[in-house]
Amino acid sequence: MSTSPIRLRDVALAAGTSTKTASRVINGDARVAVDTRKRVQEAVDSLGYQVDLMARSLRKGVDDTVGIVVPTIGDPFFAKAIEEIEQMALPRGINILVASNSRDPHLERKVVDGLLARRVAGLIVTPFSTDYSFLERVSTPVVFLDRHPEGINVGAVIVDDEGSAHRIVMHLASFGHRRIALLTDGLTVKTSRLRREGYLRAMGELGFPVEVELQATGCVDAAQAEACTNHMLDLPVPPTAIFSARSETSLGVVRALHLRGRTDIAFVSFGDFATADVLNPAVTVIDHDPRVLARKAMEMLSERLDGTLPSADDFVIPVELIARGSGELPALRAAS
Amino acid sequence: MSTSPIRLRDVALAAGTSTKTASRVINGDARVAVDTRKRVQEAVDSLGYQVDLMARSLRKGVDDTVGIVVPTIGDPFFAKAIEEIEQMALPRGINILVASNSRDPHLERKVVDGLLARRVAGLIVTPFSTDYSFLERVSTPVVFLDRHPEGINVGAVIVDDEGSAHRIVMHLASFGHRRIALLTDGLTVKTSRLRREGYLRAMGELGFPVEVELQATGCVDAAQAEACTNHMLDLPVPPTAIFSARSETSLGVVRALHLRGRTDIAFVSFGDFATADVLNPAVTVIDHDPRVLARKAMEMLSERLDGTLPSADDFVIPVELIARGSGELPALRAAS
DNA sequence: CCGGTCACTGACAACGATTACCTGATGGAC
DNA sequence: GTCCATCAGGTAATCGTTGTCAGTGACCGG
């Protein structure tokens, strides 16, 4: 037997006031007599009244929610980011709507529109590849996470993708590697492009030949990365070092290397992952922490929600290279 | 410059009809003249009208959203579950609200109430430890995921926790182990209790002594599991096998074992994890797949949303033990 | 030629809360 | 003893959409 829901007018009736006064009490308006306030409070408690957030949001014009759009929710990187945002939103009474663009540019636009139609208070988006200029005619505050979007210049929280990739290559080179392979997601993804640019710049500066067969640029998930790694290891002259541009792809690389027992090949991952430090050798990574990015993104969004300055500058989170062993394996003299 | 939002009345005005008729077109009502429909359609397109879902939901009494409550969003197990649910909801135009109870019983109730106040169409909940009997007076359909809640008898999608745990112990025993350690989350968590019961039953049936020092029942995360494992390994007579009741704790066990080089100790994890099959030895697991659970849960919820039978029976997903090596290590004769 | 379906359409109220505006009363200042 | 500021509280409009119900012609069988 479901009890009929309690509405504000029921509370007002019980407290002997108008709905307006009851509303004031609930919203903490000071202009209510202590006595009246108490009566309303009691009515609320005894009836178990709960505000209908739907109705409130309609009236106010915005919903107390933040929408999050990521490529894939199950990716631990994004899962951690979502967690961080949710934790920050909780004390503010803000709920989180999550949606994935499923790595589909067409869907991406639809998903964002759907969230806007819901009148979310703000959005945090990791763009996949859509042109986001349509957001310019929208008043909803948006912060971009991990990637700078196309077609619009607003604030994004990012890391130095190009520079960090450059650094990884330099690191590997310092251990004698020349044949350094690159695995990235599709190049429609901005971070993939930037990391590849850093790779190419470093290779160029070092005077190393850049070979097409050492670049796998379409690894969308761990399985594909594993396949690509296997393919590279089967080359007549295989790479002596591998640079995986994403933690998801790193899982595939790790699987390929370990199942083949090729733990002699140097390996650096852009992004940490769960068992990276217990593998043998432990995996050297760029500490690309989703929580830190997410926290900053939510801070920026909060400022905009509070109407503070809408500084559209990007915020660059510093990252570090954590040497654990796999990235410091020396290159063997002339491969087998 | 943000354009003022386009409302239905603007569309109606442009199409020269009433808002009601425009509404009919938008909702695909057949009783509209072809000609009228076309005019409205054009107005919608040229103005770029989007339904205000907030208003629609208020009118309809329910929001096209499904709320998900899990202990921690960042846990890969739940992240995968959320992903699966979101993927299934997408084609139905349903959005997903995620919330975590942060493993806090007090918060848990508040979080669920908050979602209900938002008038979600349905809820999928992994209960932590709250008494959920309060849901009986609520008409919102709810499905429980992975754990059966306290105080209420509704449908839950679960696995055979007790039986699977029993099976793990039997498996380890068949390789000669007697000193089998158990690591679980707090016992307020139902799954932890059940898995421990299975462990105890098996130990009893085998006639093995059940020692308190071999049971760590408060490992909430990987770090604590690691500490507990280390503690056990330092016992005068350490365990020869470890049963970790959760994939999150398994990560801690793996770290402890590998950092100490004690890969001679048998190990089985209740729940798979990312690099379980590439570790050396590869980790034997119970294949406790969040996606399968989530899919079934969403199916059950969909049925209820469609008003179909509200069968309140639990649905038990079968699981398998995947032997990969770590669970098949033989017990050494009389430990050092 | 009339009553009766049928297809289509619109006016209006309602969803439940908030806000703009207004009313009375009280009280202090002059 | 007026008068205005302030306080407590109420009334009605409003947010944008959809359900209810009524109304208009057109068409049909009798």
Side-chain angles (χ1 to χ4, degrees):
Chain A
M1 307 299 124
S2 61
T3 322
S4 87
I6 288 95
R7 287 152 302 192
L8 190 56
R9 80 163 64 101
D10 300 320
V11 173
L13 200 67
T17 71
S18 70
T19 59
K20 174 56 196 164
T21 301
S23 169
R24 277 202 262 260
V25 172
I26 284 158
N27 291 33
D29 189 322
R31 295 162 174 258
V32 177
V34 201
D35 176 52
T36 314
R37 177 189 311 282
K38 216 184 78 186
R39 263 181 304 138
V40 173
Q41 205 53 265
E42 281 167 2
V44 167
D45 293 342
S46 73
L47 293 176
Y49 170 75
Q50 287 217 189
V51 185
D52 185 315
L53 295 176
M54 208 92 263
R56 174 188 294 193
S57 297
L58 172 63
R59 187 63 245 249
K60 292 206 162 177
V62 250
D63 195 4
D64 261 350
T65 47
V66 164
I68 305 181
V69 182
V70 296
T72 47
I73 297 169
D75 183 328
F77 182 86
F78 296 115
K80 297 270 194 284
I82 295 169
E83 172 169 277
E84 188 70 28
I85 294 168
E86 194 259 353
Q87 290 294 306
M88 291 183 73
L90 197 55
R92 293 186 55 149
I94 291 179
N95 276 112
I96 299 297
L97 277 160
V98 297
S100 72
N101 57 39
S102 303
R103 309 174 57 81
D104 174 344
H106 182 62
L107 193 57
E108 183 168 21
R109 171 71 189 267
K110 278 182 63 178
V111 161
V112 173
D113 277 342
L115 255 18
L116 291 175
R118 185 147 253 130
R119 298 236 203 148
V120 293
L123 275 176
I124 293 181
V125 180
T126 296
F128 183 62
S129 67
T130 298
D131 178 350
Y132 271 87
S133 58
F134 70 95
L135 280 181
E136 265 167 356
R137 33 194 70 212
V138 169
S139 59
T140 310
V142 184
V143 174
F144 288 89
L145 181 76
D146 194 46
R147 297 172 200 167
H148 197 95
E150 303 294 326
I152 186 173
N153 226 1
V154 303
V157 181
I158 53 178
V159 297
D160 178 9
D161 291 294
E162 201 271 350
S164 304
H166 180 270
R167 183 166 165 200
I168 288 175
V169 174
M170 288 305 190
H171 183 79
L172 287 168
S174 75
F175 288 91
H177 297 278
R178 288 178 63 94
R179 287 187 68 74
I180 302 172
L182 171 73
L183 276 89
T184 72
D185 197 343
L187 294 182
T188 50
V189 178
K190 182 121 183 184
T191 42
S192 295
R193 282 207 301 284
L194 290 172
R195 291 172 196 179
R196 177 157 172 270
E197 280 170 22
Y199 164 86
L200 293 176
R201 178 164 66 90
M203 293 295 274
E205 288 174 13
L206 291 162
F208 293 173
V210 174
E211 309 198 26
V212 180
E213 58 190 18
L214 293 186
Q215 293 177 46
T217 55
C219 305
V220 307
D221 58 22
Q224 284 194 28
E226 183 178 355
C228 290
T229 306
N230 279 321
H231 179 68
M232 285 184 183
L233 294 177
D234 286 335
L235 287 175
V237 188
T240 64
I242 296 176
F243 162 23
S244 160
R246 222 176 117 214
S247 38
E248 180 79 6
T249 51
S250 297
L251 294 176
V253 175
V254 162
R255 173 167 285 124
L257 293 178
H258 281 256
L259 292 183
R260 283 172 164 244
R262 293 301 305 272
T263 46
D264 57 313
I265 292 188
F267 174 48
V268 179
S269 167
F270 199 120
D272 208 350
F273 54 95
T275 49
D277 61 339
V278 301
L279 290 167
N280 191 3
V283 179
T284 294
V285 302
I286 286 281
D287 173 29
H288 181 212
D289 190 342
R291 293 174 197 278
V292 178
L293 290 172
R295 188 172 313 134
K296 182 65 192 177
M298 188 61 189
E299 277 168 13
M300 284 172 65
L301 188 62
S302 295
E303 279 176 15
R304 296 191 193 174
L305 293 180
D306 298 342
T308 326
L309 81 167
S311 144
D313 292 339
D314 286 352
F315 189 93
V316 180
I317 302 279
V319 294
E320 288 186 33
L321 190 147
I322 303 178
R324 293 196 180 120
S326 75
E328 295 72 41
L329 297 173
L332 296 182
R333 218 65 16 205
S336 76
Chain B
M1 303 303 121
S2 63
T3 322
S4 88
I6 288 100
R7 289 154 300 192
L8 189 56
R9 81 163 63 100
D10 301 319
V11 173
L13 200 66
T17 72
S18 70
T19 58
K20 180 59 198 171
T21 300
S23 168
R24 285 199 181 94
V25 172
I26 284 157
N27 291 24
D29 189 323
R31 298 164 172 256
V32 178
V34 201
D35 175 53
T36 313
R37 178 190 309 283
K38 217 184 77 185
R39 265 182 302 136
V40 173
Q41 205 55 265
E42 280 167 3
V44 166
D45 292 342
S46 74
L47 293 176
Y49 170 77
Q50 288 217 191
V51 185
D52 185 316
L53 295 175
M54 206 92 263
R56 171 185 288 179
S57 297
L58 172 63
R59 183 66 243 245
K60 294 208 159 176
V62 261
D63 195 4
D64 261 350
T65 46
V66 165
I68 305 181
V69 182
V70 296
T72 48
I73 297 168
D75 183 328
F77 182 86
F78 296 115
K80 297 270 194 282
I82 295 169
E83 173 168 274
E84 188 70 28
I85 294 168
E86 195 259 351
Q87 290 294 306
M88 292 183 71
L90 197 56
R92 294 186 55 147
I94 291 179
N95 275 112
I96 299 298
L97 276 159
V98 296
S100 73
N101 57 39
S102 303
R103 309 175 56 83
D104 173 345
H106 182 61
L107 194 58
E108 183 168 21
R109 170 72 190 269
K110 278 181 63 179
V111 160
V112 173
D113 278 342
L115 254 20
L116 291 175
R118 183 146 256 130
R119 300 239 204 147
V120 292
L123 274 176
I124 294 182
V125 180
T126 297
F128 183 64
S129 67
T130 298
D131 179 348
Y132 271 88
S133 57
F134 70 96
L135 280 182
E136 265 167 357
R137 33 193 71 214
V138 169
S139 60
T140 310
V142 184
V143 174
F144 288 89
L145 179 76
D146 194 47
R147 297 172 198 166
H148 196 96
E150 303 293 327
I152 186 172
N153 226 2
V154 302
V157 180
I158 53 178
V159 297
D160 178 9
D161 292 293
E162 201 270 351
S164 305
H166 180 270
R167 182 164 166 204
I168 287 176
V169 174
M170 287 306 190
H171 183 78
L172 287 168
S174 74
F175 289 91
H177 297 278
R178 288 178 62 94
R179 288 187 67 75
I180 301 172
L182 172 72
L183 274 89
T184 72
D185 198 344
L187 294 182
T188 49
V189 178
K190 184 125 183 181
T191 41
S192 295
R193 281 207 302 285
L194 290 172
R195 291 171 196 179
R196 178 159 172 270
E197 279 170 23
Y199 164 86
L200 293 176
R201 178 163 67 89
M203 293 296 273
E205 288 174 13
L206 291 161
F208 292 172
V210 174
E211 309 198 25
V212 180
E213 59 190 16
L214 292 186
Q215 293 177 48
T217 55
C219 304
V220 307
D221 57 22
Q224 284 193 31
E226 183 178 355
C228 290
T229 306
N230 279 322
H231 179 71
M232 285 183 183
L233 295 177
D234 286 334
L235 288 173
V237 188
T240 64
I242 297 177
F243 163 22
S244 160
R246 221 178 118 213
S247 40
E248 180 79 5
T249 52
S250 297
L251 294 176
V253 175
V254 163
R255 174 166 285 125
L257 293 178
H258 281 256
L259 293 182
R260 282 170 165 244
R262 293 303 304 274
T263 45
D264 57 312
I265 293 187
F267 175 48
V268 178
S269 167
F270 200 117
D272 207 350
F273 55 96
T275 49
D277 61 339
V278 301
L279 290 167
N280 190 3
V283 179
T284 294
V285 303
I286 286 279
D287 173 27
H288 181 213
D289 189 344
R291 294 176 196 276
V292 178
L293 290 172
R295 187 170 315 134
K296 182 65 192 177
M298 189 62 190
E299 277 168 14
M300 285 171 65
L301 188 63
S302 295
E303 280 176 14
R304 296 193 194 173
L305 293 181
D306 297 341
T308 327
L309 81 166
S311 144
D313 291 340
D314 286 352
F315 189 93
V316 181
I317 301 279
V319 293
E320 289 185 33
L321 191 147
I322 304 178
R324 294 196 180 119
S326 76
E328 295 72 41
L329 297 173
L332 296 181
R333 219 64 16 208
S336 78

